[in-house]
Amino acid sequence: MKNIFKLPSMLRFVCLTLFATLVVYNCSDEKFKESTDETLNITEYLRANTDQYSLFLQILDITDYASFMNTYGTYTLFLPTNEAVEAFMTDYGVSSLENIPLEDLQELAKLHILEQKIETTSFTDGKIATPSMQGQFLITGATNSADGSSITVNKSAKITTSNLEVGNGIIHEIDKVLIVATKTLAQTIEDEPSLSLFTEALKATGWYDELDRPITYVDSVPSYLSVIAQTNAVFEEAGYSNLDDLKARYSHLNDPMNPEDSLNLFVAYRISPGLNYLADLAVTPALLTKAPLEVISIKLSADSLLINEETFNGILEKGVQIDREPSDETATNGVLHLVKENYFIKKRLPAPVYFDMADQPEFRQLSSVFRVPGMWASLSDSELSNMTWEGSPSITYTCFDLGSSSRPGWHGDVLDVLRLRDGYINNIEFDTPVIIKGQYKVWISWRQNSRAPNSVRAYFNDTQLARTFNMQEYGDSSTPERVLESQGYKRHIDPFTSRYNCRLLGIINVETTGRHKFRLQSLAYAGGNSWFDVLEFRPVDMDQLYPKFEAGGDGLIYE
């Protein structure tokens, strides 16, 4: 400031004027446009339409959820009308929402909210991939009536107005309030009169107590269970009218509580670890059960899910159909399905497992990305439950544009790993799908990249496989296929492009049926991406070339 007064008078005047202007400007109130979008958020939309939604708005106000539903984000709200909430209050036996315990009201509100924007075009006949904020999944399906076709939620609520765009998501209006499941699997089964014999079998074998336990967590993994139950009618058709009939047929040790008793195994074979809705079963070739080392195979045939339908030695073994309509019954600790016929443990032979390495459950939940051409998404180690790796970078799911020069592999997608090398992402470990015990040849396929590692080693359950593979190698399009196979390579997709390659890693002996660990470790420098397609476990006595995989599609191609 002292230096200003040493300047010539005119220049001193200009500087002082400029200084005063700056002071006045900085002391005045700043006026910024706080929002660039005038679209109402969810809470604002409800307040603007109280004639239709005032009661659900009251639920949000009572639970203090109205504020966060007015923040910017991406939500899906299944919004009950006032008539729907009034009907719920009548069933609940209250005249005011304030008479409902706060915790119950909070759980109710959260069941109607998903933290992802999901339009009806993304619905399937089954579970929505993203769980509700309450933690339970919602089930959608199509129903026909005299008024035409409509979409139902949790088999009871009809969507009356869909895909209402709001500032922080999307709203689907429904005509009934969704009900939170409050019973365990054991209670759900026991409360259904048609499952009384199955309930007796659960109690006789001790499995009732297991199905009555609340959810626990081990290393953040919940103890959910899935049950495939049989009605009394199914038992009677198979010749079993009561528990004594079941004991006479299956209890070979006359001790159903003994885990080695056949009746105990009969029940255990119908209980699976994990939360497996029909939508999950449809993409699960083999389902692990609580019967030690035993699995059930699942096959999707048209619109039917079949248990244990296999062809052995050219003979078709007919499967048992899951009863879709009453299935997908949510319980607090799992999900319940029903089956149309009686079935028991089958001696399972080794069966091929085709593991799309990009098909991870967390990527699958991203319905706007998963297997949508041209889309991609990245997730961190902590966000992927069936993968771990050393290093900080995220792993990317990439689905190629079918019309591009990328020429996609099976399903059109790859698991995209940036710089699989020491000091970046040195190794990646996967939980495999369920593999039936036996001997297998292991094949891995990838999309070629000249900057990917030229030497990668594989491990199965910490046992090193015989061969490494070079991700810079192109596929061989000229050598006869059987000659190429003898050299440890093959063309795994059809139509084939040399941008993809497939290498035999070795032969493994799977000693127990279940999920296993598979690890990849780079032995060389990499300056670019590694793109993984399919990991195959084929029984040693199976044709190793066929079936092939449909390039850019979901199908299998036979010779």
Side-chain angles (χ1 to χ4, degrees):
M1 181 64 74
K2 290 180 180 179
N3 292 332
I4 290 179
F5 291 98
K6 295 181 180 179
L7 297 174
S9 59
M10 182 58 69
L11 184 56
R12 187 167 66 243
F13 174 77
V14 172
C15 290
L16 289 172
T17 303
L18 179 60
F19 177 76
T21 302
L22 289 173
V23 170
V24 171
Y25 177 82
N26 286 323
C27 292
S28 62
D29 291 336
E30 296 182 7
K31 299 185 182 298
F32 295 106
K33 182 177 177 59
E34 297 181 357
S35 173
T36 59
D37 189 352
E38 301 299 331
T39 306
L40 299 178
N41 285 337
I42 289 175
T43 302
E44 295 169 332
Y45 180 86
L46 267 59
R47 295 197 192 284
N49 294 274
T50 53
D51 57 325
Q52 295 174 275
Y53 312 121
S54 61
L55 290 178
F56 193 80
L57 175 62
Q58 187 180 351
I59 292 175
L60 295 182
D61 285 331
I62 293 173
T63 57
D64 287 332
Y65 293 159
S67 57
F68 88 77
M69 291 304 291
N70 203 37
T71 60
Y72 286 95
T74 307
Y75 300 101
T76 296
L77 172 63
F78 290 90
L79 175 59
T81 61
N82 285 342
E83 292 79 3
V85 179
E86 287 170 354
F88 165 76
M89 292 166 60
T90 299
D91 293 339
Y92 201 93
V94 297
S95 58
S96 170
L97 290 169
E98 294 178 345
N99 294 332
I100 299 176
L102 178 60
E103 183 178 351
D104 291 351
L105 214 53
Q106 290 172 333
E107 295 298 296
L108 181 76
K110 289 187 292 184
L111 185 67
H112 291 76
I113 304 167
L114 279 61
E115 292 184 283
Q116 186 175 337
K117 181 179 175 180
I118 301 179
E119 298 179 349
T120 53
T121 53
S122 299
F123 291 173
T124 59
D125 187 12
K127 179 189 75 174
I128 295 177
T130 301
S132 68
M133 289 187 65
Q134 193 275 339
Q136 294 178 4
F137 286 88
L138 303 182
I139 308 297
T140 60
T143 184
N144 297 314
S145 65
D147 299 327
S149 298
S150 59
I151 298 173
T152 58
V153 184
N154 283 8
K155 304 180 183 180
S156 60
K158 184 187 298 183
I159 294 181
T160 49
T161 304
S162 62
N163 303 319
L164 292 170
E165 292 278 354
V166 289
N168 57 348
I170 197 165
I171 293 174
H172 305 298
E173 181 190 274
I174 54 179
D175 65 352
K176 289 186 179 179
V177 171
L178 305 178
I179 305 301
V180 178
T182 58
K183 299 176 183 177
T184 64
L185 280 165
Q187 294 166 342
T188 302
I189 293 168
E190 187 172 23
D191 286 352
E192 174 52 55
S194 67
L195 297 176
S196 61
L197 182 50
F198 191 78
T199 302
E200 289 185 68
L202 288 175
K203 291 181 177 180
T205 55
W207 283 104
Y208 183 94
D209 293 338
E210 292 294 323
L211 299 182
D212 202 33
R213 299 185 193 281
I215 289 295
T216 58
Y217 292 84
V218 177
D219 295 331
S220 300
V221 178
S223 59
Y224 287 114
L225 295 172
S226 302
V227 177
I228 301 176
Q230 295 180 196
T231 63
N232 297 341
V234 169
F235 277 121
E236 289 175 4
E237 187 175 349
Y240 312 116
S241 300
N242 52 55
L243 184 60
D244 287 337
D245 289 342
L246 285 178
K247 288 180 178 180
R249 170 63 179 87
Y250 293 117
S251 184
H252 76 296
L253 297 179
N254 294 318
D255 183 10
M257 296 293 286
N258 188 329
E260 296 181 358
D261 184 86
S262 294
L263 182 56
N264 194 293
L265 292 171
F266 176 93
V267 174
Y269 194 55
R270 285 154 173 74
I271 303 172
S272 301
L275 193 62
N276 299 301
Y277 285 83
L278 294 181
D280 303 304
L281 296 180
V283 295
T284 305
L287 185 67
L288 192 64
T289 72
K290 286 294 186 176
L293 307 181
E294 299 295 345
V295 301
I296 59 174
S297 65
I298 305 291
K299 179 180 180 181
L300 180 61
S301 177
D303 61 348
S304 298
L305 282 173
L306 302 175
I307 292 175
N308 290 345
E309 176 157 303
E310 303 288 350
T311 300
F312 292 114
N313 298 323
I315 300 175
L316 175 65
E317 296 183 1
K318 294 291 292 182
V320 173
Q321 189 174 346
I322 293 177
D323 196 350
R324 295 177 65 105
E325 186 174 347
S327 293
D328 274 347
E329 183 74 21
T330 297
T332 58
N333 57 350
V335 60
L336 174 66
H337 307 295
L338 297 185
V339 70
K340 292 186 175 182
E341 297 177 55
N342 183 53
Y343 67 100
F344 191 54
I345 297 172
K346 283 189 176 183
K347 177 66 177 178
R348 302 281 17 129
L349 298 176
V353 173
Y354 308 129
F355 177 26
D356 180 347
M357 299 168 76
D359 188 357
Q360 300 296 325
E362 292 77 14
F363 287 132
R364 181 175 281 275
Q365 288 183 7
L366 304 176
S367 56
S368 61
V369 173
F370 187 72
R371 293 181 183 166
V372 177
M375 301 302 291
W376 60 272
S378 297
L379 294 177
S380 66
D381 185 0
S382 62
E383 294 174 304
L384 290 165
S385 59
N386 294 331
M387 289 177 58
T388 58
W389 61 88
E390 292 180 0
S392 58
S394 299
I395 297 292
T396 300
Y397 169 89
T398 299
C399 188
F400 292 118
D401 188 339
L402 300 184
S404 73
S405 60
S406 300
R407 296 189 178 185
W410 196 33
H411 297 127
D413 55 12
V414 294
L415 187 71
D416 187 344
V417 180
L418 178 62
R419 298 176 192 163
L420 179 60
R421 63 175 174 83
D422 188 26
Y424 208 76
I425 296 181
N426 184 42
N427 61 68
I428 309 174
E429 186 170 83
F430 301 83
D431 292 334
T432 72
V434 173
I435 306 174
I436 299 171
K437 57 186 176 183
Q439 275 197 322
Y440 295 82
K441 289 186 177 181
V442 183
W443 297 83
I444 192 167
S445 52
W446 66 92
R447 184 172 182 265
Q448 184 275 344
N449 185 5
S450 60
R451 300 182 66 202
N454 59 18
S455 182
V456 180
R457 176 177 290 158
Y459 296 82
F460 184 80
N461 291 339
D462 293 327
T463 298
Q464 179 180 321
L465 274 68
R467 293 171 174 168
T468 61
F469 60 101
N470 178 1
M471 300 192 71
Q472 296 181 13
E473 280 187 327
Y474 284 92
D476 187 330
S477 59
S478 59
T479 303
E481 288 197 302
R482 295 299 173 183
V483 175
L484 191 62
E485 179 189 1
S486 70
Q487 298 170 354
Y489 293 91
K490 66 175 179 177
R491 297 188 277 273
H492 76 295
I493 55 172
D494 189 1
F496 176 71
T497 169
S498 61
R499 190 65 191 271
Y500 282 82
N501 203 351
C502 188
R503 177 68 160 152
L504 175 65
L505 298 178
I507 297 176
I508 61 172
N509 184 34
V510 179
E511 297 180 351
T512 59
T513 297
R515 304 187 74 178
H516 298 269
K517 298 291 185 182
F518 180 83
R519 187 169 81 253
L520 296 171
Q521 182 171 359
S522 174
L523 304 178
Y525 175 82
N529 300 57
S530 298
W531 296 301
F532 295 101
D533 194 15
V534 188
L535 182 63
E536 304 174 46
F537 300 89
R538 296 194 182 220
V540 291
D541 56 356
M542 176 185 175
D543 188 341
Q544 301 296 309
L545 299 186
Y546 290 91
K548 294 185 176 184
F549 306 102
E550 180 185 3
D554 300 334
L556 298 176
I557 299 172
Y558 294 84
E559 188 173 13

